[in-house]
Amino acid sequence: MSRATGNLATGTGTFLGGLALWRFTGGVDLPVISPTAVGVVLMCLGCAEVLLGLFRSARR
């Protein structure tokens, strides 16, 4: 598997994990962090990784 494909797969998985946290943990209250906020951060990181994978595949 090339680095671009790995970045695309990892970014997609991270985005979907963040989407699940954001969507389904609205009523969960933790003392330190909010799972919905972690979900938004994971979605942003997943999008960044997907964009990196697209950039690497376009340069090849």
Side-chain angles (χ1 to χ4, degrees), residues 6 8 10-12 14 16 22 30 33 35 40 47 55 58:
L8 288 171
T10 304
T12 302
T14 304
L16 291 176
W22 175 72
L30 295 176
I33 55 172
V40 171
C47 286
F55 175 75

Side-chain angles (χ1 to χ4, degrees), residues 11 14-20 22 36 38-48:
T14 304
F15 177 81
L16 291 176
L19 183 65
W22 175 72
T36 54
V38 172
V40 171
V41 169
L42 284 175
M43 286 190 300
C44 292
L45 291 174
C47 286

Side-chain angles (χ1 to χ4, degrees), residues 15-37:
F15 177 81
L16 291 176
L19 183 65
L21 277 174
W22 175 72
R23 177 71 177 103
F24 298 114
T25 61
V28 177
D29 292 325
L30 295 176
V32 178
I33 55 172
S34 168
T36 54

